[in-house]
Amino acid sequence: MENVGILGFGKYVPERVMTNADWEKLVDTSDEWITTRTGIKERRYAVDGQGTSDLAAEAAKKALADAGLNPEDIELIILATCTPDYRVQNCSSLVQKKIGAVNAACFDIQAACSGFIYSLTVGRSLIQTGMYKKILVIGAESVSRLLDMTDRNTAILFGDGACAAVMGEVEEGYGIISSYMGTEGVDDGTLRIKAGGTMYPATVERVLNKEIYLEMNGTDVFKFAVKALPFATKEAAKKGNVDLSTIDILFPHQANLRIIEAAAKRLRIPMEKVYLNIHKYGNTSAASIGLAIGDALEEGRLKKGDLIALTGFGAGLTYGSLIMRWSK
Ligand code: UT7
């Protein structure tokens, strides 16, 4: 079995900053409420004319440069997103065109905020089977485009961004050690966009009823998350025979600071070992864990040899965790 890890990494956030003060002007909310209930101070929104594929392409170009590879070297692009540019066609093929990865096959993974973990897991398997040698895995979202900007319960949480990882063989002792993926299927509006798919095609009435926007039962998602994150992390640790007390940095999905704190407590991982950047970007769904990795790299906090755990949850309801020894 090859040691599969990350050869190059990149991240991108759009320029437009949306602060809590900006939200105060739109809905009945306050910086104090948002900060204490979520930990979020600001988020980034894609600017006019920017689609998810544009954010993804920017992150991808940085990851390729970091890996010292050309776009033509990539054999497969896996893009995790629940906010693709178009309902049909895959968003990864748009990225292929934008970066010139002419030799790559492309598909998207829709596992919402768990998507980056799912995609790294699939990428690792496809390299281990010998099918591909260089895979580009991306997590990218423009959630801001699908928010009801009058709904203070949901809209204040989310932001846009992208992360990208070039995957390939790494030296012995490094790379992905184990991963775990789980799903607790629901069909009740816990977290979804109801209209615009095949069950409830978009009609003028559904658009006017705002059914084309993200709906969420925050309390139910919260309860699910505080159980799912520690469960997935423990399962991944068990599969990899990893003692969680040896983890150097935990990279949780940045959805809510209180969820992260509860999960860390259940895992007995001190908060000093938990990477946080939720205050800067809010919840960026499939991009969130990768944006955290990207920031940790830029700060020099994540270094070669560090043992890290990624853990996330999202619509579906999906959840998962992945453990690796950083190889760059
Ligand atoms: O990637 C996965 C995506 N989703 C999540 O991770 C969401 C998980 N859930 C959460 O993060 C939390 O449940 C929320 C942040 C969404 C809500 O926090 P909460 O502590 O569970 O608040 P709540 O829903 O129980 O609401 C408490 C109060 C309510 O007022 P009343 O009914 O007590 O008068 C809400 O209407 O806070 C009110 N409220 C707000 N007030 C000011 C809800 N949103 C806001 C707001 N500003 N933005």
Side-chain angles (χ1 to χ4, degrees):
M1 281 281 197
E2 284 185 34
N3 304 292
V4 178
I6 287 166
L7 308 174
F9 203 85
K11 71 165 233 274
Y12 175 80
V13 286
E15 308 233 310
R16 184 177 164 207
V17 179
M18 181 79 177
T19 65
N20 289 350
D22 294 326
W23 267 113
E24 284 174 354
K25 290 178 212 142
L26 289 183
V27 294
D28 180 15
T29 191
S30 65
D31 174 50
E32 200 265 333
W33 191 97
I34 299 174
T35 306
T36 54
R37 298 292 181 115
T38 72
I40 301 166
K41 290 302 247 181
E42 57 186 45
R43 351 64 203 117
R44 300 300 185 97
Y45 286 174
V47 298
D48 289 349
Q50 230 178 5
T52 296
S53 66
D54 294 304
L55 312 188
E58 291 306 316
K61 283 185 225 160
K62 291 184 189 170
L64 283 167
D66 190 41
L69 292 172
N70 297 314
E72 305 82 43
D73 298 328
I74 298 298
E75 297 156 294
L76 178 69
I77 300 175
I78 307 175
L79 171 55
T81 188
C82 59
T83 55
D85 294 22
Y86 310 120
R87 176 136 294 286
V88 177
Q89 65 178 77
N90 55 356
C91 197
S92 43
S93 62
L94 298 168
V95 178
Q96 186 226 38
K97 185 170 163 58
K98 282 176 183 169
I99 66 172
V102 288
N103 298 315
C106 302
F107 64 84
D108 295 1
I109 284 189
Q110 216 286 36
C113 314
S114 312
F116 193 59
I117 290 173
Y118 276 44
S119 300
L120 290 173
T121 303
V122 172
R124 178 202 191 200
S125 312
L126 290 172
I127 292 171
Q128 282 183 330
T129 61
M131 184 143 182
Y132 296 111
K133 291 203 177 309
K134 301 279 186 297
I135 297 180
L136 179 62
V137 164
I138 306 170
E141 306 276 14
S142 306
V143 192
S144 69
R145 294 278 157 71
L146 300 170
L147 297 172
D148 171 3
M149 300 302 267
T150 63
D151 176 12
R152 68 174 185 174
N153 291 294
T154 304
I156 54 105
L157 296 172
F158 295 91
D160 306 340
C163 61
V166 178
M167 299 186 77
E169 188 179 1
V170 294
E171 55 189 293
E172 182 81 38
Y174 293 88
I176 297 173
I177 295 165
S178 58
S179 73
Y180 175 85
M181 300 189 288
T183 299
E184 197 174 296
V186 293
D187 186 10
D188 56 5
T190 304
L191 187 49
R192 73 173 172 197
I193 292 174
K194 184 176 172 184
T198 55
M199 186 62 83
Y200 302 102
T203 59
V204 172
E205 195 185 22
R206 290 191 182 119
V207 172
L208 294 175
N209 281 341
K210 300 184 170 180
E211 291 170 40
I212 54 162
Y213 297 123
L214 193 70
E215 65 172 302
M216 179 181 76
N217 181 328
T219 311
D220 285 356
V221 178
F222 195 104
K223 285 185 197 154
F224 166 75
V226 296
K227 282 190 284 177
L229 287 185
F231 179 78
T233 315
K234 283 181 191 167
E235 288 301 310
K238 220 187 292 170
K239 282 174 79 176
N241 204 16
V242 171
D243 177 350
L244 280 173
S245 69
T246 63
I247 293 286
D248 294 304
I249 312 178
L250 176 70
F251 288 97
H253 170 42
Q254 310 280 315
N256 184 318
L257 179 57
R258 290 183 295 140
I259 292 174
I260 295 172
E261 286 171 342
K265 196 170 168 196
R266 287 190 188 197
L267 290 167
R268 295 202 177 85
I269 294 180
M271 284 305 287
E272 304 84 74
K273 288 186 173 186
V274 180
Y275 192 85
L276 297 171
N277 63 0
I278 186 168
H279 54 288
K280 285 161 60 177
Y281 308 130
N283 181 345
T284 57
S285 187
S288 130
I289 292 171
L291 282 180
I293 291 175
D295 276 1
L297 285 168
E298 281 170 17
E299 290 161 14
R301 180 159 166 196
L302 173 57
K303 297 178 294 298
K304 184 171 180 180
D306 282 347
L307 185 63
I308 65 171
L310 284 44
T311 184
F313 67 95
L317 298 164
T318 59
Y319 57 106
S321 180
L322 181 143
I323 295 176
M324 72 172 127
R325 196 166 291 283
W326 194 253
S327 49
K328 276 274 304 167

